[in-house]
Amino acid sequence: MDDLPLRDELRGKSPYGAPHPDVPVQLNVNESPYPLPEPLVDRIAQRVREAARGLNRYPDRDAVELRTALAAYLTRTGHHPLTAANVWAANGSNEVLQQLLQAFGGPGRTAIGFEPSYSMHSLIARGTSTGWISGPRHEDFTIDLDAAVDAIAAHRPHVVFVTTPNNPTGSAVDAETVVALYEAAQRARPSLFVVDEAYTEFSHRPSLLPLLEGRPNLVVSRTMSKAFGAAGLRLGYLAADPAVVDAVQLVRLPYHLSAVTQATALAALEHTDTLLGYVEQLKTERDRLVEELRALGFEVTDSDANFVQFGLFEDPQAAWQHILDRGVIVRNNGVPGRLRVTAGTPAENDAFLDAVRDLKKEQGA
Ligand SMILES: *Cc1c(COP(=O)(O)O)cnc(C)c1O
């Protein structure tokens, strides 16, 4: 690759990617452990079959039926009325975020995130030639509001990312903090403020969708990868003022969302009650992981997501390997002293807890 006439900012860089060895218990990338329920599989097959006959034509470029169904889901669960004009969908929320940075970031512009947070925010910034600013957090990983407001005032970013619940740390941000950051950002310059709610269905806090009222530069980003248990589908979406949706259409590729994807997502949206039932099971298992890890003497960050950050390890990579050697893969996100485990099935979580119990014994010895 070094011999290619590659863009300078990409030279010597590595692509995003968690290690993915084939082990029995996969608790590393925040997927749902549950296969899609059989009635939904049948409905997907039926809807895709119907779509297949029309694959000689381009798909609905504006995905109106899907955006209408997503708006209905958000209205029902987010306690804020939305229509298709407020909603945009793409291949995973990563593509939604990329489209936002293509439209609102880019060369000569900057974006800020409060780290540690979702590493794709900075990577998408790099890919779109948007300057990246790493904003501060407290030692306990909550947002340091005063320092964050200072950083926004000093750097005057064009795009602000707040992830709630945050990945990889797990805790949610309260609405007052988000409003204070939004106002600080708008004081600095008119900027786009993106709330990444990939894990909101797992949180004890309500979605921040009602904050969209009267805040034309606010965007809430969501995904079917986590709570819908459909990471393989690649469907993310946003809710915002209709003008933001119009702006994103300036940069989206025509027909970016295939007819097969649209049909599959529509089928999944017919089964939200079943899928959200799995979310309740996973929340119970997440709370059990927090409790049992604390009982074992680990330091555990409060979690509103489908994963738990735990430590402290002198050598997190060695601890990661120890757990892997027992057939369980978790994630080392590079947060000093800590690892992250996704909530799996009760049996998978038992296997994980056995592996860390072992580790604790060795460390204690
Ligand atoms: C997993 C995740 C996403 C989802 O990405 P998709 O492209 O929709 O699969 C977005 N934001 C955060 C913080 C995540 O952890």
Side-chain angles (χ1 to χ4, degrees):
M1 197 155 66
D2 290 346
D3 295 335
L4 293 174
L6 191 63
R7 281 164 53 192
D8 289 338
E9 62 266 42
L10 298 181
R11 286 189 180 279
K13 297 293 198 299
S14 330
Y16 173 91
H20 240 303
D22 197 14
V23 293
V25 181
Q26 306 203 354
L27 304 178
N28 61 333
V29 287
N30 299 345
E31 296 155 333
S32 168
Y34 297 109
L36 298 189
E38 239 8 75
L40 170 52
V41 172
D42 289 342
R43 184 64 179 136
I44 290 172
Q46 191 183 10
R47 278 222 180 230
V48 168
R49 198 182 160 78
E50 283 161 21
R53 278 190 205 100
L55 286 181
N56 57 311
R57 303 290 180 193
Y58 283 107
D60 174 6
R61 196 177 51 206
D62 299 325
V64 174
E65 188 186 358
L66 175 58
R67 285 163 59 206
T68 303
L70 288 166
Y73 168 70
L74 293 179
T75 299
R76 188 160 60 81
T77 56
H79 310 289
H80 182 63
L82 293 166
T83 70
N86 298 106
V87 173
W88 180 247
N91 296 282
S93 54
N94 282 326
E95 187 179 26
V96 172
L97 298 173
Q98 177 170 274
Q99 290 172 339
L100 288 171
L101 283 184
Q102 284 174 329
F104 296 93
R109 291 189 161 211
T110 58
I112 191 170
F114 305 96
E115 299 187 310
S117 190
Y118 186 45
S119 61
M120 279 308 300
H121 295 158
S122 57
L123 284 176
I124 295 170
R126 188 173 80 199
T128 57
S129 293
T130 309
W132 180 252
I133 300 152
S134 180
R137 274 181 193 267
H138 287 298
E139 289 263 301
D140 67 357
F141 304 108
T142 56
I143 289 187
D144 182 339
L145 182 57
D146 292 340
V149 166
D150 287 349
I152 287 170
H155 295 285
R156 303 177 63 233
H158 299 79
V159 179
V160 179
F161 287 103
V162 172
T163 308
T164 178
N166 190 42
N167 176 16
T169 58
S171 19
V173 186
D174 58 71
E176 299 74 55
T177 301
V178 172
V179 168
L181 291 171
Y182 179 86
E183 284 168 1
Q186 302 310 309
R187 271 197 305 278
R189 71 161 79 243
S191 58
L192 195 76
F193 194 99
V194 183
V195 176
D196 187 336
E197 281 198 340
Y199 300 97
T200 194
E201 286 94 338
F202 297 96
S203 179
H204 76 284
R205 289 185 193 279
S207 163
L208 296 178
L209 285 167
L211 295 183
L212 290 173
E213 190 61 45
R215 293 186 182 83
N217 293 341
L218 187 67
V219 178
V220 176
S221 152
R222 303 283 286 264
T223 179
M224 294 177 81
S225 295
K226 310 287 162 56
F228 281 72
L233 165 59
R234 306 311 300 133
L235 199 291
Y237 53 106
L238 66 73
D241 189 272
V244 173
V245 174
D246 291 344
V248 162
Q249 306 213 17
L250 299 174
V251 297
R252 60 107 176 90
L253 295 173
Y255 315 110
H256 67 297
L257 212 49
S258 87
V260 172
T261 298
Q262 294 185 41
T264 308
L266 279 163
L269 283 161
E270 292 174 12
H271 288 251
T272 48
D273 291 344
T274 319
L275 297 173
L276 293 178
Y278 292 142
V279 168
E280 287 310 308
Q281 291 180 44
L282 289 167
K283 281 161 71 175
T284 304
E285 279 299 301
R286 168 204 65 206
D287 291 342
R288 178 169 79 95
L289 283 173
V290 170
E291 207 172 299
E292 298 212 14
L293 283 167
R294 281 185 180 150
L296 286 169
F298 289 102
E299 197 176 304
V300 181
T301 314
D302 288 337
S303 176
D304 275 283
N306 66 339
F307 56 83
V308 177
Q309 176 177 266
F310 64 106
L312 290 166
F313 301 104
E314 236 166 74
D315 184 348
Q317 190 57 27
W320 179 86
Q321 187 63 51
H322 174 104
I323 297 167
L324 183 63
D325 292 344
R326 278 147 193 80
V328 181
I329 184 161
V330 297
R331 185 78 181 271
N332 179 1
N333 294 87
V335 180
R338 285 158 174 94
L339 295 173
R340 187 193 73 189
V341 60
T342 307
T345 63
E348 289 173 334
N349 298 332
D350 285 340
F352 161 74
L353 287 165
D354 284 345
V356 290
R357 216 170 272 123
D358 240 38
L359 176 63
K360 202 75 195 176
K361 250 182 248 158
E362 271 182 32
Q363 278 192 337

